[in-house]
Amino acid sequence: MAIWNLLWLYILILYVNNGRMEASHKVYPQFQSLSAVNIRQLHHTAFHFQPPKNWINDPNGPMYYNGIYHIFYQYNPKGAVWGNIVWGHSISKDLINWKELEPAICPSKHFDIDGAWSGSTTILPSNKPIILYTGVDSNGIQTQNYAVPANLSDPYLRKWIKPGNNPLIDPENGVNATAFRDPSTAWWLNGRWRVLVGSERNSRGIAYLYRSRDFIHWTKAKHPFHSAPNTGMWECPDFYPVSLSSKEGLDPSYMGKHVKHVLKVSLDDARYDYYTLGTYLTNDDKYVPDNASVDGWAGLRYDYGNFYASKTFFDPAKRRRILWGWVNESDFTQDDVKKGWAGIQAIPRIVWLDTNQRQLKQWPVEELNTLRGEIVKMSHQKLKKGHHIEIQGITAAQADIDVTFYIPSLDKTEEFNPSWEDAQRLCANKGSKVEGGVGPFGLLTLASKNLEEYTAVFFRVFKTSKKHVVLLCSDARSSSLEDGIYKPSFAGFVDVDLADKKLSLRSLIDHSVVESFGGGGKTCITSRVYPTLAVLDNAHLYAFNNGDETIIVKNLNAWSMNKAKMN
Ligand SMILES: *[C@@H]1O[C@H](CO)[C@@H](O)[C@H](O)[C@H]1NC(C)=O
Ligand SMILES: *[C@@H]1O[C@H](CO)[C@@H](O)[C@H](O)[C@H]1NC(C)=O
Ligand SMILES: *[C@@H]1O[C@H](CO)[C@@H](O)[C@H](O)[C@H]1NC(C)=O
Ligand SMILES: *[C@H]1O[C@@H](CO)[C@H](O)[C@@H](O)[C@@H]1NC(C)=O
């Protein structure tokens, strides 16, 4: 390393240690407007959403309008750390290839001069989109505001205006003014619009309900829509119906009989997205989670890895509900400043209710398959204990792998200790090299030739007197030789009964991200990793097994992925 680089790094480290917190983002004023000179490509993704450079966080206001998908996002146009936040704006015809437009909303008025933060779009009758977003004034007071397209005939809706009657919703009546943000998409019921705003009071997480006849005059409902003690600030509430009988998505205002509702909140204290399934009691205008669906840290997550501030929208073109979520970096801030970018969005996923009605399922939108190139197949391949088999012939750093494992016998399954309820800790204790009965087996992604580096995505099966317990891990602990970066052993349980003795896994590998879908989308885990050896053409992919029971790779398809047209 040249002396200049060392000096540069040293200065960076000095500064980095001085970061302070704002809205849960570390703030580094000295980097906020430091434009990248050259974008480091080593860990740059090829098919995950990101702008050409700089920082992004929450996806905002996703929608489909007149044949075009829009995604907005919290964006720093000037640097690779959080700050100077505007609403970035990109459009697409297929959710995979994107074109960047000018920012849609920038701070300009007293009510948003210190922040144009997250929000949602609602499509009003006669096909008029409207954005609700949180503005932050110079005292840190948060209000809900609206913006509308300047010209509805512009097919891209490039320009958005903030009408003069903003803000629409002030934090009155005992609402915590510095914890009042992220308006949801609105829904229509019995002559009124309804919208949720996230908040916190004495550590109780709250989704406030507001109602309006005209979308302009809003009144706070007497009771919160839902709240839960000791869960801290609820960011980015998202509320929507799911069908009991089909994978089809539903319009947010759909109130038919054969539905359940989903309430998702982003727990600021945990920095993960949690959801419950429940019932919308329309007479009381309240949401009640099912008994089996718990609020807070012990609840269900969309993704058991890096995935936050997500938002869904209904896509009327293909009648599906699509989920966007922010995947942050796990490297050091000084790495982000050097590479000139930070933050990606996960691949958009369809969400629907599992037939067991206890959880949602997710799967990458089918449009992703258009990027698939060369394919390598494997079937009926035995994986004996201690073996790993290379999957050759694809670009392993940029790939889509879909595999079904078959477990010939469950006789050797290890006992599950009921105290092992923390999946991430269990995965840390029983990593990919810790021999078991059935498993660990799965994939070694972004692996170097001699396995100095790899991100293991694998299953491990346990049993109790009543059932099997399946653990899915995405373990980043060996992902990089670089010391000190965040390399967690992310994990979640997969709610399957194993009657057919099959477990499926799909992993999207994209240079510094491994996004995995276990059990057909029952358990999803996204890891960010920064290999030093397993990069570009030096990355390898293996299937492995370290359990006593031989596992069969029943069916494996692996595709090289092409680059998306990305902004
Ligand atoms: C609105 O957009 C249409 C289509 O791009 C364009 O022809 C028209 O001139 C625009 N109107 C204004 C007032 O900018
Ligand atoms: C209000 O929100 C702030 C965060 O902005 C939090 O620190 C404070 O504890 C909240 N006040 C109450 C009464 O909950
Ligand atoms: C849920 O729990 C409540 C309170 O314990 C009980 O009254 C109710 O019957 C339960 N509902 C279901 C569907 O089990
Ligand atoms: C993503 O980065 C890691 C490592 O710095 C943090 O631990 C997470 O809290 C963070 N996630 C979010 C949502 O900010």
Side-chain angles (χ1 to χ4, degrees):
M1 202 185 269
I3 189 86
W4 272 111
N5 286 346
L6 272 176
L7 194 62
W8 173 226
L9 200 68
Y10 179 66
I11 293 168
L12 281 171
I13 289 165
L14 274 184
Y15 276 130
V16 166
N17 289 336
N18 290 330
R20 59 190 166 79
M21 297 292 288
E22 189 174 312
S24 310
H25 294 283
K26 272 238 170 77
V27 178
Y28 304 94
Q30 64 287 353
F31 298 147
Q32 282 184 346
S33 304
L34 194 66
S35 192
V37 188
N38 45 29
I39 305 300
R40 220 165 66 168
Q41 295 302 330
L42 201 53
H43 295 123
H44 201 276
T45 63
F47 57 92
H48 280 77
F49 181 91
Q50 59 182 126
K53 59 178 185 177
N54 297 329
W55 164 277
I56 63 168
N57 54 292
D58 311 4
N60 291 154
M63 67 169 176
Y64 175 84
Y65 182 71
N66 289 353
I68 291 178
Y69 294 100
H70 294 250
I71 182 73
F72 305 89
Y73 38 94
Q74 295 281 287
Y75 175 54
N76 179 354
K78 296 181 180 164
V81 302
W82 186 84
N84 309 308
I85 292 293
V86 303
W87 274 47
H89 184 194
S90 295
I91 50 158
S92 171
K93 292 213 158 152
D94 61 6
L95 292 161
I96 298 298
N97 297 287
W98 293 91
K99 178 180 161 65
E100 187 187 34
L101 305 178
E102 69 204 77
I105 303 173
C106 298
S108 65
K109 308 274 186 187
H110 69 92
F111 53 78
D112 69 5
I113 200 67
D114 252 21
W117 288 1
S118 290
S120 308
T121 50
T122 301
I123 310 281
L124 298 182
S126 66
N127 204 23
K128 292 207 171 90
I130 183 167
I131 286 174
L132 286 176
Y133 73 99
T134 298
V136 185
D137 76 6
S138 54
N139 296 316
I141 305 296
Q142 300 171 8
T143 56
Q144 315 319 320
N145 302 282
Y146 77 117
V148 291
N151 178 2
L152 278 171
S153 309
D154 169 8
Y156 293 172
L157 304 177
R158 288 164 200 269
K159 284 210 156 48
W160 291 72
I161 50 175
K162 306 167 191 174
N165 53 354
N166 273 307
L168 293 184
I169 305 179
D170 287 309
E172 27 68 86
N173 297 342
V175 168
N176 187 342
T178 58
F180 182 56
R181 54 181 178 265
D182 309 336
S184 71
T185 295
W187 69 94
W188 175 260
L189 173 70
N190 299 336
R192 284 190 179 83
W193 290 104
R194 283 152 170 84
V195 84
L196 300 180
V197 182
S199 189
E200 158 189 31
R201 181 149 203 92
N202 301 326
S203 298
R204 173 176 281 274
I206 304 174
Y208 286 119
L209 178 70
Y210 286 79
R211 301 189 194 97
S212 173
R213 286 187 190 283
D214 58 5
F215 223 91
I216 300 299
H217 303 90
W218 293 88
T219 314
K220 183 159 151 275
K222 245 200 206 114
H223 304 286
F225 193 58
H226 187 51
S227 73
N230 305 316
T231 51
M233 175 67 194
W234 284 8
E235 298 195 293
C236 305
D238 193 18
F239 179 67
Y240 55 91
V242 283
S243 166
L244 290 180
S245 55
S246 108
K247 266 175 95 162
E248 264 194 16
L250 297 168
D251 180 273
S253 302
Y254 182 84
M255 293 296 156
K257 269 207 152 70
H258 302 285
V259 300
K260 265 193 178 306
H261 276 83
V262 177
L263 178 64
K264 184 280 301 188
V265 295
S266 303
L267 294 190
D268 196 9
D269 290 352
R271 307 297 283 166
Y272 297 122
D273 279 12
Y274 291 82
Y275 70 89
T276 53
L277 292 169
T279 306
Y280 181 14
L281 303 175
T282 51
N283 287 337
D284 303 335
D285 229 347
K286 268 189 168 176
Y287 169 78
V288 183
D290 292 348
N291 287 357
S293 208
V294 299
D295 281 307
W297 301 47
L300 292 164
R301 276 165 59 182
Y302 278 144
D303 190 297
Y304 292 83
N306 292 47
F307 190 91
Y308 191 69
S310 68
K311 199 172 280 301
T312 63
F313 74 104
F314 174 62
D315 170 12
K318 294 198 172 178
R319 305 205 60 79
R320 55 188 176 170
R321 182 160 287 274
I322 294 174
L323 170 68
W324 279 103
W326 166 45
V327 178
N328 71 334
E329 301 298 313
S330 293
D331 56 359
F332 293 117
T333 296
Q334 59 265 34
D335 294 330
D336 297 341
V337 173
K338 273 198 284 179
K339 69 191 205 279
W341 59 276
I344 58 172
Q345 306 294 347
I347 296 297
R349 308 170 178 177
I350 54 167
V351 279
W352 72 99
L353 184 66
D354 188 355
T355 49
N356 72 15
Q357 299 191 8
R358 289 191 295 264
Q359 67 163 103
L360 298 170
K361 287 174 92 175
Q362 301 162 61
W363 201 247
V365 294
E366 62 189 5
E367 288 88 338
L368 181 66
N369 303 357
T370 60
L371 295 180
R372 285 173 171 172
E374 238 152 305
I375 182 170
V376 167
K377 289 172 181 265
M378 191 184 274
S379 56
H380 304 289
Q381 171 74 51
K382 270 191 187 163
L383 267 179
K384 289 201 169 128
K385 183 182 188 175
H387 285 200
H388 63 278
I389 299 175
E390 178 154 18
I391 294 137
Q392 278 173 314
I394 54 157
T395 53
Q398 196 174 304
D400 179 356
I401 294 95
D402 198 356
V403 52
T404 302
F405 297 101
Y406 177 72
I407 308 164
S409 163
L410 287 157
D411 293 348
K412 295 176 184 159
T413 308
E414 296 159 79
E415 293 287 336
F416 184 76
N417 181 328
S419 72
W420 294 344
E421 55 196 32
D422 182 335
Q424 189 164 327
R425 189 172 318 146
L426 180 55
C427 174
N429 291 334
K430 294 189 178 278
S432 62
K433 287 185 171 166
V434 179
E435 295 177 3
V438 177
F441 64 87
L443 302 172
L444 301 177
T445 68
L446 294 172
S448 58
K449 183 112 201 89
N450 300 315
L451 298 182
E452 298 92 340
E453 292 180 330
Y454 56 87
T455 299
V457 185
F458 62 95
F459 294 107
R460 194 176 185 114
V461 182
F462 303 92
K463 66 179 172 206
T464 67
S465 54
K466 293 197 191 91
K467 56 171 189 180
H468 288 103
V469 178
V470 177
L471 179 71
L472 176 67
C473 295
S474 178
D475 188 349
R477 287 176 300 169
S478 301
S479 59
S480 173
L481 293 178
E482 190 177 347
D483 277 333
I485 55 174
Y486 182 59
K487 294 184 263 190
S489 56
F490 285 133
F493 293 106
V494 194
D495 186 356
V496 287
D497 63 11
L498 290 184
D500 60 1
K501 297 190 185 157
K502 281 185 208 155
L503 277 171
S504 74
L505 174 65
R506 180 165 177 202
S507 289
L508 307 174
I509 301 166
D510 194 3
H511 301 277
S512 59
V513 55
V514 180
E515 188 174 349
S516 299
F517 302 79
K522 279 180 180 250
T523 303
C524 308
I525 313 183
T526 302
S527 294
R528 293 303 307 277
V529 293
Y530 306 88
T532 62
L533 305 171
V535 296
L536 307 174
D537 291 341
N538 295 322
H540 299 262
L541 174 69
Y542 302 92
F544 81 98
N545 177 22
N546 280 324
D548 290 332
E549 190 57 60
T550 295
I551 300 294
I552 315 286
V553 176
K554 192 165 179 306
N555 219 332
L556 178 147
N557 291 328
W559 290 268
S560 292
M561 292 295 273
N562 292 312
K563 248 174 112 99
K565 290 190 192 74
M566 192 53 69
N567 290 311

